[in-house]
Amino acid sequence: MLKLNITFYTALLGVFASTNSIAAESNSLDLSLQELLNVEVTSVSKQKQPLSNSPAAIYVVTSENIHNSGATSIPQALRDVPGLHVAQIDSQKWAISSRGFNGRYNNKLLVLMDGRTLYSPVFSGVYWEVQDTLMADIERIEVIRGPSAAMWGANAVNGVINIITKHSADTSGGYAELGAGDYEQGFAGFRYGSTLSDNATSRMYVKGHNKDSLEHDQQDLGDYLVGPSTSVDKDNDWTHLQVGGRVDIELETGTSLMLSSDWYRTQMQQTSYYPTLVGPSYLEYNSDEVNSDGFNLLSKFTKALSPTSQYSLQTYYDYAKRDDDWYGFSSETLDIDFQHQLLLGQNHNIVWGLGYRFIKDDFDPSTIIVSSESASTRTNLWSTFVRDEMTLIDDELWLTLATRVEHFDYTGFEIQPNIRLMWQLNKKNNLWASVARAIRTPSRVENNLSVNAQNIPPSVESPLVSIWVAGNENYQSEEIISYELGYRVTPAKKWSFDSTIFYNDYDQLRSALNSTTDFSTFPNYISQYLTFENDLKGHNYGFEFSSMWAATDDLQFKLNYSFIQNEFGENQSQNTDAPEHMLSTMMDWSITDDIDLNLVWRFMGDAYVINTNDLSTKTIDSYHGLDIGLHWAVTPDVLLSAFGKNLLHPAHLEYEGENYQFPYRVGPSYYVKASLTF
């Protein structure tokens, strides 16, 4: 078990004990409804524009939302975004997706932090447990539901999550937090921001936590797993330590440079099972400590060429290493991105860019995962994009045409176009529409790795059969054509409504078909191979709704609801279906100048998980829960908070990993937190 720095805890406690000027980062409803609607977002068009005029299904989680909810991780901060299915798998792992295809290895949602892609090239998804930063340093999280590949590239199929941290000038001085509870056994964070010169600011941070195991119930296992698994340890606690910093330099008027870096180390207790050639169960159970560590370096140079033109050059390097008990890998990513924005004439707002990404990954073969190529592979991704926002009628009607062209080593050239229309009917009513094509490129697993999915015990009729799912170098990108129509209205000063209807048509979805049988090991066993193909298709459609009511300056309510109908048929090899209904209500109330209350009630409909070992489908029953957060500003500089999570419902499953992983139940939990600024 990784031990957090005791000296750090001691120093932190000393700061709490000795500081007279202790502060809360925020303890009130800081943003009015109008300010929230005018929040500038950048994820839709790669340039700033008001949320209310963005032609996309976009939702913003503000720093105030994060503070009020008491979220201690990025997945927790995303729990109540409309149309986003956020589910905890065990103490460490999360499944997060928009409009279906959720799972531990969801690969159709692009996630970025300050422009750095957070996906793993091994399976094209996100290891959420190692994506972190000091939560108080997050400026906002922009969540786009629906394709946005013309702007952000492959894998932005069902949405984009863009995590944007604060400028270092906005985090000057000291901030510290310390908390503990039952599941949240202990967490602490410290940040200090300083002014380096008249033109430069910086901040450094360190954070760490220790989270307890979630509850495991044998009833949640399949019958073939119950007996052999009783003797294995089911602990799944974990510890995480992370440090980082950021520097912002104003080189000259209109020219700036941003540098940032993060380093993390995490240790997780995991229990898994996987096929073996040894009977009688032909399954091996293992409880082990899993280590993961990584770091990144990012720079972004921005220069204004004129009042109507500027360019930026962003580069980053990212290293990640992971040692699960049944596989391990390390990856290195180098990414270069150039972007130029200019106004052309009176009616054309143009953004274009060039990009290159180099990925090197080293895979550690195991008894259940082998590579048909070298353990170390290198891939290249080249890209270019252009977007033209045309003003058709001044201050009323805009048409946006955009497309991205990419060349990826596995699939060659891909084109991802998008057309959007924004119509501001009047100051209270906005209508938008979009048609987009996006693709999800193959991961290394789908290209050149083979996974031992299942071993079928021998019988009178058959020897032991080892089932392998093999990558295919001819496997192509999955694709979507999406149609969206959105409507935003502010009927009164204190009311707002945001709604979207959508239809998604998926093609070339992943399938696994029988290919060859290897008898070379007969009579001990035979190996049956299934190969990844692109033979499946399907569609879904639905409706998403979000409303906010500022009852008074001190009391706000939100209501989020989404409905989706899934039409994918049988024999799917991935989790296509989203919960049909998702609903959440939120209340933020400044009871007095010193006391704030946050309440969230959510309902999640039935979810469905495909076990990729045998393609069986399991239903995760619907559930509901209540979160409570109470904040007390003891002085203008110190804040004490208490939180209850997942209340009013007994421990339950929220989701399961697709394979090799034990199910765990999420139950009620409590923790307290003290935070200060100085």
Side-chain angles (χ1 to χ4, degrees):
M1 181 71 69
L2 181 151
K3 302 297 185 185
L4 289 178
N5 191 317
I6 301 301
T7 303
F8 163 68
Y9 274 114
T10 304
L12 192 59
L13 287 168
V15 170
F16 273 95
S18 61
T19 303
N20 294 321
S21 59
I22 304 173
E25 284 272 295
S26 171
N27 64 342
S28 64
L29 306 181
D30 291 336
L31 297 179
S32 68
L33 175 61
Q34 200 59 43
E35 288 172 328
L36 286 172
L37 293 174
N38 289 328
V39 165
E40 290 188 327
V41 296
T42 56
S43 298
V44 177
S45 60
K46 283 199 168 186
Q47 60 183 14
K48 293 180 179 180
Q49 61 184 148
L51 183 150
S52 57
N53 285 341
S54 299
I58 185 168
Y59 185 90
V60 175
V61 180
T62 66
S63 58
E64 287 74 21
N65 297 147
I66 295 170
H67 163 79
N68 293 341
S69 69
T72 59
S73 67
I74 292 170
Q76 289 180 10
L78 297 169
R79 263 195 179 277
D80 298 296
V81 173
L84 205 63
H85 182 203
V86 180
Q88 190 166 5
I89 295 174
D90 62 19
S91 179
Q92 315 125 20
K93 306 181 189 70
W94 292 77
I96 300 177
S97 183
S98 167
R99 301 178 181 175
F101 294 88
N102 205 359
R104 163 64 164 159
Y105 301 110
N106 166 40
N107 50 29
K108 295 180 179 60
L109 183 70
L110 188 66
V111 184
L112 307 109
M113 182 178 292
D114 290 331
R116 178 173 56 89
T117 300
L118 303 184
Y119 87 109
S120 167
V122 174
F123 71 99
S124 295
V126 176
Y127 286 109
W128 285 100
E129 61 271 25
V130 296
Q131 309 305 335
D132 205 358
T133 189
L134 191 65
M135 299 301 290
D137 287 349
I138 295 177
E139 174 68 32
R140 64 185 184 278
I141 304 175
E142 300 178 6
V143 181
I144 297 177
R145 307 179 301 278
S148 199
M151 289 288 97
W152 296 103
N155 303 337
V157 173
N158 284 341
V160 174
I161 295 176
N162 195 3
I163 304 156
I164 300 166
T165 63
K166 295 176 180 176
H167 192 286
S168 58
D170 297 328
T171 54
S172 60
Y175 170 81
E177 62 181 27
L178 183 67
D182 47 4
Y183 167 64
E184 302 276 0
Q185 290 191 321
F187 61 90
F190 177 83
R191 171 244 291 154
Y192 192 79
S194 61
T195 300
L196 302 177
S197 68
D198 292 341
N199 302 320
T201 55
S202 70
R203 69 164 176 264
M204 295 288 292
Y205 77 89
V206 57
K207 70 173 295 186
H209 67 241
N210 185 23
K211 297 182 188 292
D212 198 8
S213 297
L214 293 186
E215 172 187 337
H216 170 72
D217 193 321
Q218 292 284 93
Q219 298 179 30
D220 300 325
L221 287 175
D223 293 339
Y224 68 104
L225 293 173
V226 173
S229 68
T230 53
S231 60
V232 68
D233 189 353
K234 308 296 193 310
D235 285 349
N236 61 111
D237 56 282
W238 66 302
T239 304
H240 182 85
L241 179 66
Q242 181 160 329
V243 298
R246 169 171 171 160
V247 177
D248 293 278
I249 307 171
E250 194 73 22
L251 299 173
E252 58 184 54
T253 301
T255 304
S256 62
L257 176 66
M258 188 272 276
L259 304 170
S260 70
S261 181
D262 305 276
W263 171 90
Y264 68 85
R265 172 164 294 173
T266 189
Q267 292 185 331
M268 302 166 283
Q269 195 67 31
Q270 290 188 357
T271 304
S272 55
Y273 63 92
Y274 39 85
T276 177
L277 297 175
V278 180
S281 68
Y282 298 95
L283 289 171
E284 182 173 340
Y285 297 85
N286 191 34
S287 178
D288 203 358
E289 186 178 272
V290 173
N291 300 313
S292 181
D293 57 74
F295 68 92
N296 63 78
L297 298 166
L298 182 145
S299 71
K300 184 173 183 178
F301 175 81
T302 304
K303 183 176 181 60
L305 301 174
S306 72
T308 59
S309 174
Q310 73 170 28
Y311 72 85
S312 65
L313 178 64
Q314 176 180 284
T315 61
Y316 70 79
Y317 170 81
D318 189 294
Y319 171 82
K321 180 175 176 55
R322 190 176 182 92
D323 293 311
D324 276 288
D325 55 351
W326 43 280
Y327 77 99
F329 73 90
S330 64
S331 66
E332 297 177 79
T333 302
L334 175 66
D335 186 279
I336 304 172
D337 183 79
F338 173 81
Q339 177 181 310
H340 182 206
Q341 173 197 344
L342 69 158
L343 295 179
L344 194 62
Q346 298 296 318
N347 300 320
H348 293 271
N349 185 352
I350 295 174
V351 182
W352 67 277
L354 301 169
Y356 170 71
R357 183 175 301 161
F358 170 79
I359 299 175
K360 174 178 179 292
D361 61 270
D362 294 301
F363 186 79
D364 300 330
S366 68
T367 58
I368 61 170
I369 301 181
V370 297
S371 175
S372 61
E373 296 186 357
S374 168
S376 178
T377 64
R378 293 163 173 78
T379 54
N380 300 275
L381 172 67
W382 299 88
S383 65
T384 182
F385 79 94
V386 61
R387 166 191 171 275
D388 184 6
E389 181 188 78
M390 293 173 279
T391 302
L392 302 182
I393 302 176
D394 287 346
D395 300 323
E396 185 175 338
L397 189 62
W398 299 266
L399 175 67
T400 300
L401 302 177
T403 192
R404 175 177 286 264
V405 179
E406 294 183 336
H407 184 276
F408 184 48
D409 287 351
Y410 288 165
T411 54
F413 284 100
E414 302 274 9
I415 300 176
Q416 300 173 92
N418 183 197
I419 178 171
R420 295 182 187 270
L421 186 69
M422 185 75 206
W423 185 12
Q424 184 172 306
L425 303 173
N426 51 52
K427 291 185 177 179
K428 294 183 177 180
N429 294 272
N430 294 296
L431 191 66
W432 63 269
S434 171
V435 180
R437 178 183 186 271
I439 55 111
R440 198 276 296 175
T441 53
S443 65
R444 183 174 178 185
V445 168
E446 293 160 322
N447 183 271
N448 58 64
L449 297 182
S450 295
V451 181
N452 188 186
Q454 182 185 15
N455 286 345
I456 301 175
S459 64
V460 176
E461 294 83 11
S462 170
L464 172 67
V465 180
S466 183
I467 307 293
W468 289 77
V469 180
N472 177 2
E473 65 178 8
N474 295 316
Y475 184 78
Q476 297 299 305
S477 298
E478 298 178 315
E479 65 177 48
I480 179 179
I481 296 180
S482 178
Y483 308 86
E484 298 175 284
L485 181 64
Y487 175 58
R488 295 189 183 97
V489 58
T490 310
K493 185 178 179 181
K494 295 181 179 295
W495 282 91
S496 73
F497 299 91
D498 190 346
S499 58
T500 304
I501 57 175
F502 64 90
Y503 179 90
N504 294 329
D505 188 12
Y506 298 88
D507 200 3
Q508 298 192 165
L509 293 178
R510 186 177 65 208
S511 58
L513 303 179
N514 280 325
S515 57
T516 60
T517 305
D518 181 2
F519 291 95
S520 63
T521 52
F522 182 83
N524 295 327
Y525 67 94
I526 62 175
S527 297
Q528 177 63 51
Y529 287 88
L530 290 74
T531 304
F532 285 127
E533 302 287 351
N534 297 93
D535 292 333
L536 297 177
K537 59 177 62 178
H539 64 270
N540 59 27
Y541 54 91
F543 169 75
E544 296 155 348
F545 172 82
S546 178
S547 177
M548 184 162 54
W549 175 37
T552 69
D553 291 341
D554 300 320
L555 182 62
Q556 291 182 357
F557 296 92
K558 289 182 183 177
L559 173 66
N560 297 325
Y561 170 74
S562 66
F563 165 81
I564 190 168
Q565 186 66 41
N566 309 285
E567 303 287 348
F568 290 92
E570 299 179 348
N571 302 319
Q572 296 292 333
S573 63
Q574 52 190 324
N575 297 325
T576 54
D577 293 2
E580 188 172 345
H581 302 281
M582 295 187 289
L583 173 67
S584 66
T585 61
M586 289 164 274
M587 183 190 78
D588 286 308
W589 183 16
S590 288
I591 300 173
T592 69
D593 290 343
D594 302 326
I595 298 177
D596 293 343
L597 177 66
N598 173 260
L599 294 177
V600 179
W601 178 84
R602 67 179 66 88
F603 168 82
M604 188 67 64
D606 290 346
Y608 306 94
V609 179
I610 293 176
N611 186 324
T612 56
N613 294 344
D614 58 9
L615 299 185
S616 62
T617 300
K618 179 176 181 177
T619 300
I620 306 294
D621 292 336
S622 62
Y623 61 88
H624 66 91
L626 176 71
D627 291 353
I628 299 176
L630 185 64
H631 308 271
W632 175 32
V634 180
T635 76
D637 299 323
V638 67
L639 184 71
L640 300 179
S641 304
F643 301 95
K645 300 290 185 183
N646 307 305
L647 311 179
L648 304 182
H649 200 280
H652 56 275
L653 293 180
E654 289 192 353
Y655 218 68
E656 284 189 20
E658 290 90 332
N659 48 16
Y660 306 146
Q661 298 164 43
F662 278 75
Y664 289 89
R665 297 189 172 194
V666 180
S669 64
Y670 310 87
Y671 60 94
V672 294
K673 183 176 83 170
S675 55
L676 63 92
T677 57
F678 54 93

